């Protein structure tokens, strides 16, 4: 089943070359989910490599796809991007970012300015089975209280970003595996 992209606001890619030169207002990607999703993995905002490729977690050193592949028992990183998203959905896992828009030069979370949060309540109305959110890093994790207020189970996990090099791949993988194991409803994941 192809991923359902919920587009309740327009998506206009920004030329990546302009991102380094000026403080451009950036718009995030639409969420990837379907009606069976029970878990949403939330990053902060796409980095330059992701914006350029128009793909979630496109930086070659980002460990998102290798970690999720190991947790879910699939070689996601070896698949073309267009095949990765349906495989996530097959496990009841969706992906999005906490910021709908922001200003930022470069890719670091610390440089995010004037961040505008995504509308999680609207997403929940469109995906009523979503009941859990994993935050990929501390910046995204700042939004955990909002999703807890919606009744969701949340976990703030170590960032898979190459900027978070202070933790080994194996330690990150163990944290992500533990979070998946602790999900209240592991029916699809």
């Amino acid at each position: 089943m192809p991923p359902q992209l919920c587009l309740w606001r327009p998506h206009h890619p920004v030329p990546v070359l302009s991102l380094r030169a000026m403080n451009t207002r950036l718009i995030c990607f639409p969420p990837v989910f379907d009606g069976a999703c029970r878990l949403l993995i939330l990053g902060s905002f796409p980095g330059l490599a992701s914006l350029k490729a128009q793909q979630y977690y496109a930086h070659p050193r980002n460990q998102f796809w290798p970690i999720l592949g190991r947790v879910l028992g699939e070689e996601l990183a070896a698949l073309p991007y267009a095949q990765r998203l349906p495989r996530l959905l097959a496990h009841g896992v969706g992906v999005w970012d906490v910021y709908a828009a922001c200003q930022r030069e470069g890719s670091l979370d610390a440089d995010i300015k004037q961040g505008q949060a995504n509308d999680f309540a609207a997403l929940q109305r469109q995906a009523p089975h979503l009941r859990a959110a994993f935050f990929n890093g501390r910046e995204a994790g700042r939004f955990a209280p909002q999703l807890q207020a919606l009744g969701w189970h949340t976990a703030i996990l170590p960032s898979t970003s190459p900027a978070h090099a202070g933790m080994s791949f194996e330690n990150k993988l163990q944290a992500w595996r533990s979070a998946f194991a602790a999900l209240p409803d592991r029916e699809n994941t």
Side-chain angles (χ1 to χ4, degrees):
M1 163 185 266
Q4 174 183 348
L5 299 179
C6 178
L7 298 170
W8 58 79
R9 66 180 185 332
H11 172 64
H12 302 286
V14 175
V16 173
L17 293 177
S18 69
L19 299 181
R20 291 188 191 273
M22 64 169 109
N23 218 1
T24 303
R25 187 90 174 141
L26 305 172
I27 306 296
C28 86
F29 305 142
V32 176
F33 71 95
D34 64 16
C37 280
R38 298 191 184 293
L39 169 66
L40 185 62
I41 298 176
L42 292 161
S44 56
F45 195 82
L48 289 175
S50 293
L51 291 169
K52 182 176 182 181
Q54 292 292 289
Q55 298 177 0
Y56 281 103
Y57 302 103
H59 193 287
R61 290 193 335 259
N62 193 300
Q63 297 171 330
F64 180 82
W65 295 111
I67 285 175
L68 260 290
R70 297 269 295 271
V71 168
L72 298 174
E74 297 200 31
E75 289 293 325
L76 295 175
L79 295 175
Y81 182 76
Q83 292 177 17
R84 293 176 189 173
L85 300 179
R87 295 309 313 141
L88 278 183
L89 294 175
H91 290 278
V93 178
V95 65
W96 203 18
D97 286 308
V98 295
Y99 291 113
C102 70
Q103 291 182 344
R104 181 180 64 195
E105 290 186 36
S107 295
L108 296 177
D109 284 351
D111 294 333
I112 291 174
K113 307 284 187 251
Q114 299 178 5
Q116 172 191 342
N118 268 314
D119 188 353
F120 301 114
L123 179 67
Q124 187 176 35
R125 287 190 297 275
Q126 294 188 16
H129 295 292
L130 277 173
R131 290 292 178 254
F134 288 171
F135 297 93
N136 189 356
R138 285 188 311 235
E139 178 65 24
R142 292 178 49 225
F143 289 80
Q146 286 182 286
L147 279 89
Q148 289 167 347
L150 295 174
W152 292 20
H153 169 85
T154 64
I156 301 170
L157 298 171
S159 174
T160 61
S161 167
H164 185 59
M167 181 182 261
S168 72
F169 177 86
E170 288 303 321
N171 286 343
K172 289 179 187 181
L173 176 60
Q174 182 56 45
W176 282 76
R177 278 188 171 145
S178 295
F180 269 85
L183 280 171
D185 177 9
R186 296 181 54 209
E187 184 177 304
N188 287 334
T189 56

